[in-house]
């Protein structure tokens, strides 16, 4: 994999450099609640701008449906990038259309532009190779060189991640190089016990990863929205909690295999429930009730792990040699459901083992709940990406940078 340092040595002055970043930051309306992913790509953008490149930054944000949707505009991220760079950042109101072409053509050496959300174009995420290729051609027309630095999206076989680098000279940015450097160690030299804590809301993506983790980890702690598919597989009522019904048979098999392989698969013993999802805007008190994991009322939703589970998970993390944690334990954005995530974050700080926190929301949780980032071994910008990397999978966005 050629890195950006080689590109800088070759010289970038006057060249249009396309930086595929992951600016998929959490938003409250148009307010960015955690800018970690924007800060993470700064070294790459700065190095390119300072050496005279015309930098075109592109990213996805959220999961729009292949058409423009103002809720998912990258405009707030572009503005924040400008603030962090201390420079004007031009913003194109489309991705490859007239606005993008005009903005890119107007860039002077050393200037930076951001184009609108890649996923406003159906070609970006299309499963059809030709459709993705057509969009990649349009993206390629905007640049002379490609720098891949959106680590959080390298597990996606998307046009800007996979098809575009094949069409331009390509290099890995500093973030990708650093992430791969740290995560590689976890695949080669893992100090045991190796404990993996999984939570969050992208349940279907992450359940598949457990299949592989059963052959690698010594202990798996399950929380967040993911827990309810397991509790359902145990035959418990999960009420209106997040549930991946079609995955129940697979999860049943995981639980059987864990037992056979001697992997400790630990599930919540109690949870916080309420009749409805909390209001994350007003943060009005949610008044949750604590119930045993096998006693969730049919009309209630599980939104955090309970106090007994917090203690249990802390004890399961205390003697870890290595910990990988992805996905908040509850809806941490609301104070009534933040304690589970806080307890796991604190347990990672307290354990003597090497700790890695992966995921946009997990990293945001650690920061917004007031933890010191330096107390963790590594905070990865990738959730699904870091999990799939640890699984040993070939990730499209990394493979594309290699050849
Ligand atoms: N029990 C629950 N029910 C519903 N949502 C939950 C629950 N527990 C956690 N969440 C939500 O999960 C979200 C984070 O999940 P996600 O899987 O995206 O995490 P991540 O891996 O850190 O991020 P990413 O994969 O996007 O990098 C948070 O917004 C949180 O509110
Ligand atoms: O948040 C993430 O994990 C990355 O930005 C990828 O987003 P996606 O899961 O919507 O592809």
């Amino acid at each position: 994999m050629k890195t950006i340092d080689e590109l800088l040595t070759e010289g970038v002055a006057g060249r249009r450099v396309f930086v595929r970043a992951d600016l998929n930051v959490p938003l409250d309306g148009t307010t960015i609640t955690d800018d970690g992913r924007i800060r993470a790509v700064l070294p790459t953008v700065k190095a390119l701008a300072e050496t005279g490149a015309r930098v075109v930054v592109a990213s996805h944000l959220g999961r729009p449906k292949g058409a423009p949707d103002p809720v998912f505009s990258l405009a707030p991220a572009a503005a924040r990038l400008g603030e962090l760079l201390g420079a004007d950042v031009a913003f194109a109101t489309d991705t490859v259309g007239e606005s993008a072409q005009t903005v890119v053509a107007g860039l002077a050496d050393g200037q930076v532009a951001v184009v609108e959300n890649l996923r406003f174009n159906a070609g970006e995420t299309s499963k059809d190779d030709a459709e993705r290729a057509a969009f990649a051609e349009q993206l390629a027309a905007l640049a002379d060189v490609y720098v891949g630095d959106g680590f959080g999206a390298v597990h996606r076989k998307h046009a800007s991640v996979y098809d575009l680098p094949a069409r331009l000279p390509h290099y890995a940015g500093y973030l990708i190089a650093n992430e791969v450097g740290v995560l590689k160690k976890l695949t080669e030299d893992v100090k045991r016990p190796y404990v993996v804590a999984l939570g969050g809301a992208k349940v279907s993506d992450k359940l598949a990863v457990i299949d592989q983790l059963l052959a690698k980890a010594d202990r798996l702690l399950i929380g967040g929205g993911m827990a309810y598919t397991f509790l359902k597989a145990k035959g418990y009522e999960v009420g209106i909690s997040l549930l991946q019904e079609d995955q129940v048979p697979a999860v049943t098999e995981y639980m059987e295999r864990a037992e056979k392989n001697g992997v400790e698969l630990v599930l919540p013993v109690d949870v916080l429930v309420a009749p409805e999802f909390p209001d994350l805007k007003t943060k009005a008190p949610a008044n949750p009730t604590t119930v045993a994991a096998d006693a969730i009322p049919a009309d209630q939703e599980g939104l955090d792990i309970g106090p007994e589970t917090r203690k249990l998970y802390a004890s399961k993390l205390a003697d870890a040699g290595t910990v990988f944690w992805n996905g908040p334990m509850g809806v941490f954005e609301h104070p009534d459901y933040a304690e589970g995530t806080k307890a796991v974050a604190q347990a990672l700080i307290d354990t003597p083992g090497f700790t890695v926190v992966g995921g946009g929301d997990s990293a945001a949780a650690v920061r917004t709940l007031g933890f010191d980032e330096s107390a963790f071994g590594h905070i990865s910008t990738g959730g699904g990406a870091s999990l799939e990397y640890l699984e040993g999978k070939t990730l499209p966005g990394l493979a594309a940078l290699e050849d």
Side-chain angles (χ1 to χ4, degrees):
M1 203 189 276
K2 281 203 211 165
T3 69
I4 183 172
D5 282 328
E6 290 169 72
L7 172 62
L8 296 176
T9 308
E10 284 168 29
V12 285
R15 294 169 88 188
R16 298 168 304 161
V17 182
F18 186 101
V19 177
R20 198 328 178 167
D22 181 357
L23 307 181
N24 185 19
V25 286
L27 288 171
D28 180 358
T30 56
T31 305
I32 296 168
T33 53
D34 180 72
D35 64 3
R37 279 181 164 163
I38 306 177
R39 290 177 185 275
V41 78
L42 276 183
T44 290
V45 174
K46 264 191 184 156
L48 290 167
E50 280 166 7
T51 46
R54 302 175 181 198
V55 189
V56 182
V57 180
S59 173
H60 68 287
L61 188 141
R63 292 178 171 177
K65 305 261 172 282
D69 180 342
V71 170
F72 297 109
S73 174
L74 269 180
R80 184 71 188 127
L81 179 63
E83 282 166 18
L84 292 169
L85 286 171
D88 281 341
V89 163
F91 182 66
T93 54
D94 58 27
T95 321
V96 291
E98 222 177 283
S99 174
Q101 289 166 25
T102 308
V103 164
V104 174
L107 282 176
D109 293 1
Q111 281 188 337
V112 179
V114 175
V115 294
E116 186 53 287
N117 195 335
L118 289 155
R119 292 186 185 170
F120 285 180
N121 306 270
E124 169 67 359
T125 57
S126 177
K127 295 230 174 345
D128 180 82
D129 289 350
E131 201 185 344
R132 272 200 332 274
F135 182 55
E137 288 293 338
Q138 290 179 292
L139 291 170
L142 295 175
D144 307 304
V145 182
Y146 177 92
V147 172
D149 216 22
F151 181 73
V154 290
H155 58 315
R156 302 294 182 210
K157 193 176 174 185
H158 292 169
S160 66
V161 177
Y162 180 73
D163 305 84
L164 177 60
R167 289 168 167 78
L168 293 171
H170 44 264
Y171 302 82
Y174 292 122
L175 175 63
I176 282 194
N178 176 41
E179 293 267 22
V180 170
V182 176
L183 294 175
K184 202 162 186 244
K185 280 192 224 137
L186 280 196
T187 61
E188 287 165 356
D189 173 28
V190 181
K191 284 212 173 58
R192 295 187 178 275
Y194 180 19
V195 188
V196 177
L198 285 181
K202 291 180 184 169
V203 181
S204 56
D205 278 6
K206 289 168 189 177
L207 279 175
V209 175
I210 294 178
D211 194 28
Q212 291 296 316
L213 286 176
L214 286 173
K216 299 199 161 92
D218 300 303
R219 216 173 272 158
L220 278 172
L221 314 180
I222 308 290
M226 172 153 313
Y228 303 94
T229 307
F230 283 83
L231 296 177
K232 179 83 179 177
K234 281 189 84 169
Y236 299 167
E237 167 71 66
V238 296
I240 52 170
S241 309
L242 208 59
L243 173 67
Q244 199 71 38
E245 187 95 55
D246 58 334
Q247 296 282 321
V248 171
V251 164
T252 307
E253 192 275 323
Y254 295 159
M255 294 197 294
E256 287 163 6
R257 189 144 37 104
E259 192 157 348
K260 228 189 290 158
N261 291 4
V263 176
E264 225 186 314
L265 202 154
V266 194
L267 300 180
V269 290
D270 58 354
V271 292
L272 301 191
V273 299
E276 58 194 9
F277 199 83
D279 189 331
L280 300 182
K281 261 203 160 343
T282 62
K283 307 248 172 28
N287 305 316
T289 318
T290 303
V291 296
D294 62 355
I296 300 176
D299 59 350
Q300 308 243 337
E301 180 170 11
L303 294 157
D304 194 9
I305 56 173
E308 289 306 316
T309 309
R310 298 202 291 265
K311 276 190 244 159
L312 174 68
Y313 285 13
S315 75
K316 299 286 178 192
L317 288 159
D319 67 340
T322 306
V323 183
F324 180 79
W325 170 34
N326 169 255
M329 292 290 115
V331 182
F332 73 93
E333 296 92 338
H334 191 288
D336 288 351
Y337 301 112
E339 291 305 318
T341 301
K342 277 189 195 164
V344 167
Q346 189 58 50
L348 258 70
I349 291 174
D350 294 340
T351 188
F354 181 65
T355 57
V356 177
V357 181
D361 285 298
S362 312
V366 160
R367 286 187 287 260
T368 55
L369 296 174
F371 292 95
D372 173 8
E373 281 179 73
S374 67
F376 301 89
H378 178 65
I379 300 196
S380 171
T381 54
S386 53
L387 275 170
E388 289 193 23
Y389 185 90
L390 294 181
E391 251 187 273
K393 269 195 179 168
T394 302
L395 304 185
L398 296 181
L401 294 177
E402 256 150 33
D403 38 325

